[in-house]
Amino acid sequence: MIPNRSCYWLKNARVPVCVIRDRSEAIAASANSDGMALVDIYIALGIIDQIVISGSVKFGDTTTVDLQGRQIWPCFVDVHTHLDKGHIWERSPNLNGTFDDALTATFKDEEIWTTEDVYRRIKFGLNCSYVHGTKAIRTHLDSAGRLTDLSWDVFKTLRKEWENRLILQGVALASLDYYLTPEGEILVNKVAESGGILGGVAYINPDLDRQIARVFEIAKDRKLNLDFHVDENGEVESICLQKIAEAALKYNFEGKIVCGHCCSLAVQPDDVVQKTLKLVKSAGIGIVSLPMCNLYLQDRQYHQSKYPKTPRWRGTTLVHELKQTGVPVAFASDNCRDPFYGFGDHDGLEVFKMAVRICHLDRPFEDWLCTVTKTPADLMGLSDIGRIGVGLAADFIIFKGRYLSEILSRQQSDRLVVRNGKILEDKLPDYAELDDLIFHHP
């Protein structure tokens, strides 16, 4: 479909207005009920040179492709993943499906992690993401003990190898109390020298305030951004998000802060919710919801009997209320085929589909598409990614679907991923590539 030319027009393309940078008033006004504008796009030497209302300019002798209303989206941005854990399900399954059993299975699997094992599994995940149309990924890396060097050295190697295809960011993952130890200081040095982000798991405990204070102290001193796992449970008393927001304001933290999960917010009383929303907004914190993993783990109860209990809530946080408060909200894929989530394929479209269905992002769709493109890019400090605009690289996805109802109803496995104006020819990797690691591990 895309011509082998340095310059060409794509005409009659539907593009989400919310992701068009510096859009004209005319383009914005032309959007349909799904927020899509019908436009013509001129690509020159791998760069988007013009975006105009369809039919408003003459193409002359320039090569032209009629998309007949097919949609164009910017490449996906996956702001919360765990690539180091990916694809270990077959050798370390979570047979009960609970969060605690996911932890147990993962810790046991980590005992056999080697440089080759982690490298190949992360590379497999990167290949999947790239072929599906992702351009930037942030991955949390289990970083305690011997994994400090193993995980970060592998990550740095792959970041260098993929630098012309994917933007990669790494986040240290350890419990917050780890940063109170000498080993935690070693980890901080590794993160800083690796250009990484300081992160960790916050959970209610008697020493939480001191743990949070120490993390903010380190981040300010080393000029590191922060990314926390927060309140990944359905416990009313779990208010780690609130405490992190209070600390950010108390210490006048100027770096970027992202908090993922925040599940307990959905089960807390309204007065606690309102207080937390105001604090999060004031602190400038971005929230990442992980709809697939949270739906999978939250409210799951394992029973020895043959009559298991049906889950009563969806596990996701209050995305509508957060967005209405003015808090940046993003969705991401989280875990993939590991004990925390037994499914997934590193596909931003699957994430968005699940988010729409679980969180009722439709009727109207508004600008929710930004949550897997523009908003996570902003949270990652990538101002030119996750959007389509004049002067930006011609990196986008062409879907056969013309309307959101079409795109969200079929798999869209026939999508075309375009990078620098040319169709990506890479194919999804075969699961068999990992067989020797999964079925013949030490």
Side-chain angles (χ1 to χ4, degrees):
M1 175 180 288
I2 300 298
N4 187 23
R5 298 285 189 276
S6 60
C7 300
Y8 58 87
W9 280 95
L10 297 176
K11 71 175 185 178
N12 295 321
R14 283 196 172 89
V15 180
V17 167
C18 63
V19 299
I20 301 178
R21 190 180 72 170
D22 300 327
R23 58 186 176 269
S24 68
E25 292 183 4
I27 287 178
S30 71
N32 63 15
S33 60
D34 281 351
M36 305 289 166
L38 193 64
V39 299
D40 299 333
I41 302 175
Y42 183 54
I43 309 297
L45 303 175
I47 303 296
I48 297 174
D49 186 76
Q50 294 184 59
I51 303 176
V52 299
I53 291 179
S54 186
S56 63
V57 300
K58 296 187 180 298
F59 305 133
D61 296 330
T62 306
T63 300
T64 304
V65 177
D66 189 351
L67 293 185
Q68 299 178 322
R70 293 179 177 88
Q71 289 196 17
I72 288 180
W73 292 10
C75 288
F76 297 116
V77 177
D78 207 349
V79 69
H80 183 125
T81 67
H82 292 268
L83 296 176
D84 58 342
K85 296 186 181 74
H87 307 285
I88 63 173
W89 176 269
E90 303 302 335
R91 76 184 187 198
S92 296
N94 177 0
L95 299 181
N96 296 336
T98 64
F99 186 90
D100 288 343
D101 286 331
L103 283 174
T104 300
T106 299
F107 290 154
K108 182 67 175 177
D109 195 86
E110 288 177 348
E111 295 176 4
I112 63 170
W113 285 13
T114 64
T115 295
E116 181 188 3
D117 176 70
V118 175
Y119 174 91
R120 286 176 57 191
R121 289 187 293 101
I122 292 180
K123 182 180 178 181
F124 188 93
L126 295 178
N127 273 315
C128 295
S129 297
Y130 185 57
V131 172
H132 283 310
T134 295
K135 187 170 180 178
I137 303 173
R138 175 179 288 187
T139 182
H140 296 259
L141 300 167
D142 281 22
S143 300
R146 74 182 187 93
L147 297 182
T148 297
D149 286 331
L150 192 157
S151 296
W152 281 93
D153 289 349
V154 169
F155 172 76
K156 287 190 294 182
T157 297
L158 283 163
R159 182 175 61 189
K160 178 65 176 177
E161 291 178 2
W162 282 77
E163 63 182 352
N164 294 322
R165 291 169 287 175
L166 287 169
I167 298 169
L168 300 180
Q169 295 182 354
V171 185
L173 184 61
S175 57
L176 295 191
D177 59 335
Y178 194 72
Y179 294 109
L180 301 175
T181 69
E183 293 79 8
E185 294 296 327
I186 295 173
L187 172 57
V188 170
N189 290 335
K190 193 72 173 184
V191 172
E193 72 183 32
S194 302
I197 296 148
L198 199 63
V201 182
Y203 61 92
I204 295 295
N205 70 88
D207 208 23
L208 179 60
D209 290 336
R210 187 164 75 100
Q211 295 164 7
I212 292 176
R214 178 57 182 153
V215 170
F216 272 93
E217 178 185 3
I218 294 170
K220 288 191 69 172
D221 179 60
R222 305 299 290 270
K223 294 181 172 54
L224 298 172
N225 291 325
L226 291 167
D227 194 326
F228 297 96
H229 279 61
V230 176
D231 303 322
E232 192 177 357
N233 55 64
E235 301 168 5
V236 174
E237 63 274 15
S238 188
I239 56 169
C240 297
L241 176 59
Q242 185 179 120
K243 286 183 171 293
I244 288 172
E246 289 173 338
L249 295 169
K250 177 180 178 180
Y251 297 109
N252 297 310
F253 189 72
E254 296 181 355
K256 287 183 175 294
I257 306 174
V258 174
C259 288
H261 297 289
C262 312
C263 308
S264 66
L265 191 65
V267 298
Q268 291 168 343
D270 188 61
D271 59 333
V272 175
V273 169
Q274 294 306 317
K275 178 181 179 180
T276 302
L277 293 179
K278 292 177 182 178
L279 285 168
V280 170
K281 167 65 175 175
S282 297
I285 296 174
I287 302 298
V288 182
S289 179
L290 297 312
M292 298 187 296
C293 187
N294 290 156
L295 187 73
Y296 185 78
L297 289 175
Q298 298 305 310
D299 206 26
R300 183 188 287 268
Q301 297 187 30
Y302 176 69
H303 292 265
Q304 297 293 341
S305 73
K306 61 180 180 180
Y307 302 110
K309 176 181 176 291
T310 301
R312 301 297 180 92
W313 73 299
R314 300 183 180 207
T316 52
T317 193
L318 300 180
V319 294
H320 287 277
E321 291 81 353
L322 285 159
K323 184 170 179 283
Q324 290 161 12
T325 303
V327 174
V329 174
F331 293 99
S333 61
D334 206 8
N335 299 71
C336 187
R337 296 183 67 240
D338 68 26
F340 289 89
Y341 183 63
F343 316 112
D345 198 31
H346 308 278
D347 183 4
L349 179 60
E350 181 186 19
V351 174
F352 185 65
K353 282 184 176 182
M354 291 289 282
V356 169
R357 295 166 181 170
I358 296 168
C359 300
H360 291 170
L361 306 185
D362 57 339
R363 312 277 68 85
F365 286 100
E366 297 179 335
D367 59 351
W368 283 109
L369 184 59
C370 291
T371 58
V372 292
T373 53
K374 180 180 176 182
T375 301
D378 290 342
L379 295 179
M380 292 174 65
L382 306 173
S383 60
D384 289 341
I385 309 299
R387 58 208 85 197
I388 293 172
V390 173
L392 299 181
D395 295 341
F396 47 78
I397 306 165
I398 301 175
F399 293 106
K400 190 173 182 179
R402 301 161 299 169
Y403 306 98
L404 284 176
S405 63
E406 294 178 356
I407 290 180
L408 298 178
S409 298
R410 287 188 177 169
Q411 294 302 313
Q412 303 300 316
S413 56
D414 54 356
R415 75 190 74 172
L416 299 177
V417 177
V418 177
R419 301 298 296 268
N420 297 312
K422 298 181 179 180
I423 291 180
L424 185 66
E425 300 292 346
D426 300 47
K427 305 298 181 183
L428 287 171
D430 192 316
Y431 290 128
E433 293 179 15
L434 299 178
D435 279 358
D436 62 310
L437 297 178
I438 302 304
F439 300 109
H440 303 285
H441 59 80

